[in-house]
Amino acid sequence: MHKPFLRTVFGVLALSLASAASAQVKPEDQIKFRQAGYSFMSWNMGKIKANLEGEYNAQQVQAAANAIAGIAGSGMGALYGPGTEKDIGSLKTRVKPEFFQQMPNVGKLATDFNAAAANLAKVAAGGDKAAVQQAFSDTGATCKACHDKYRME
Amino acid sequence: MHKPFLRTVFGVLALSLASAASAQVKPEDQIKFRQAGYSFMSWNMGKIKANLEGEYNAQQVQAAANAIAGIAGSGMGALYGPGTEKDIGSLKTRVKPEFFQQMPNVGKLATDFNAAAANLAKVAAGGDKAAVQQAFSDTGATCKACHDKYRME
C-alpha cells in the first residue's frame, strides 16, 4: 500500500476517534437530545407564527429565531449514530429507516434547513414583518421536506 | 379613579392578553418545552466540556455555544406559567415551589445565566481556548446557582 493512502486511512480513523471522544453520547441520549432540539424549535416556530398572525413583537421573534438557528446549526447529525435507528425500550423514535440509507439526500435537506434557519435569524434581526413572513415560510418548508420523507406519522 | 391610572391598568391587561395570545401553550407543553431546552443545552455544554478536556474544535465549540445562547435568550420564563408548578399526571417537574414564590431572585439568576451564555457565545467565536474555559466555567456556575436553589434532587 502507498504511504499517502495509509496516512489518509489513519487520518480518517483519528478524526473518527476524536469525534467519538468528544461525543460519547449513549444511543438513548442521542434520541432524547435530538427530540429535545426539535421540540424546542417547534415552540419557537409557534411563537413566530403567533407573532406573524397577531401583534408583532420584533424582539420576541428575533429571540425565537436565534434559538432555532442556534439549535439547527449545532451539529444534530451527531445525534443519529448507530443504535438510534429504532425505539430503545419505551423510548420511541419516529425516524424512518430510509433516513439512514439515504445520507446524501439527508445531508442536502439538513443543509437547506440550516441555511433557512440562519437566514430567518438574520432577517428577524432586521425587524421587517413581511420579510420575516417569507423567511419563516421558507424555513417551515425545509422542516416539512424532511418530515414528509423521513418522519413516521 | 384617575384616568392615567386606568390607562395603565388597561395597558397592562392588554399586554398580558397579547402575551397570552402569542403563547397559548398548555401547562404540560410548557413543562415539556422547558425540559427540552435544558436537555438540549446540557448536550451542548457536554460537547464544550469534551472539547476543553480533549482535542479542541473551535467550530464545534462555537456552534454549541450559539445553541446554548439562543436557547437561554429565548424567553423561557414564559414556560413557567400557572399550572406548571407541579407534576401533571406522569409528567414530572423538578422545580421547587420556592421558584414561583421568589420571582425577583429567579429573575436575577436568569439574567446572570443569559449574560453568561451570551458571553460564552461571544468568546467561543474568538476561538481562544483559555478564554472559553473561563466563560464556560462562568456559565456553569450560573446554571448551578439556580439548580442548587430551585431544582429538586
Side-chain angles (χ1 to χ4, degrees), chain B residues 1-25:
Chain B
M1 260 189 272
H2 295 298
K3 276 190 178 170
F5 174 74
L6 276 177
R7 266 203 294 273
T8 304
V9 169
F10 289 144
V12 168
L13 273 176
L15 201 67
S16 308
L17 291 172
S19 312
S22 75
Q24 296 204 334
V25 178

Side-chain angles (χ1 to χ4, degrees), chain B residues 36-46 67-69 71-72 76 113:
Chain B
Y38 295 122
S39 173
F40 204 78
M41 286 194 284
S42 78
W43 175 53
N44 285 283
M45 288 293 279
I68 294 164
I71 294 169
M76 291 182 74
F113 167 55

Side-chain angles (χ1 to χ4, degrees), chain B residues 85-125:
Chain B
E85 315 84 10
K86 292 181 181 175
D87 299 344
I88 301 177
S90 62
L91 182 64
K92 307 290 178 195
T93 174
R94 291 163 75 191
V95 67
K96 288 184 184 171
E98 297 90 288
F99 180 97
F100 298 90
Q101 295 149 6
Q102 301 175 2
M103 275 299 155
N105 190 48
V106 168
K108 191 200 166 299
L109 293 177
T111 303
D112 290 349
F113 167 55
N114 284 353
N119 182 58
L120 175 59
K122 190 179 151 196
V123 169

Side-chain angles (χ1 to χ4, degrees), chain A:
Chain A
M1 259 188 270
H2 295 298
K3 276 191 178 169
F5 175 75
L6 275 177
R7 266 204 294 274
T8 304
V9 169
F10 289 145
V12 169
L13 273 177
L15 202 67
S16 307
L17 291 172
S19 313
S22 74
Q24 296 204 333
V25 177
K26 287 185 294 184
E28 52 267 47
D29 288 334
Q30 291 182 38
I31 294 177
K32 282 181 200 168
F33 287 143
R34 74 195 188 201
Q35 290 179 345
Y38 295 122
S39 174
F40 204 78
M41 285 194 285
S42 78
W43 175 51
N44 285 283
M45 288 294 279
K47 280 189 287 180
I48 297 175
K49 186 167 184 281
N51 272 278
L52 289 169
E53 291 172 354
E55 202 176 333
Y56 192 78
N57 179 328
Q59 201 178 357
Q60 189 182 68
V61 170
Q62 187 179 352
N66 285 343
I68 294 163
I71 294 170
S74 67
M76 290 182 74
L79 299 174
Y80 290 89
T84 71
E85 315 85 10
K86 292 181 179 175
D87 299 344
I88 300 178
S90 63
L91 182 65
K92 307 290 179 196
T93 174
R94 291 164 74 190
V95 68
K96 288 185 185 171
E98 298 91 288
F99 180 97
F100 298 91
Q101 295 150 6
Q102 302 175 2
M103 275 300 156
N105 191 47
V106 168
K108 192 201 165 300
L109 293 177
T111 302
D112 290 349
F113 166 55
N114 284 353
N119 182 58
L120 176 59
K122 190 179 152 196
V123 169
D128 181 78
K129 187 177 174 177
V132 168
Q133 175 71 67
Q134 184 60 53
F136 177 74
S137 298
D138 293 346
T139 304
T142 66
C143 297
K144 189 173 183 300
C146 196
H147 293 171
D148 284 353
K149 206 156 172 63
Y150 298 115
R151 190 173 71 167
M152 293 176 201
E153 290 306 309

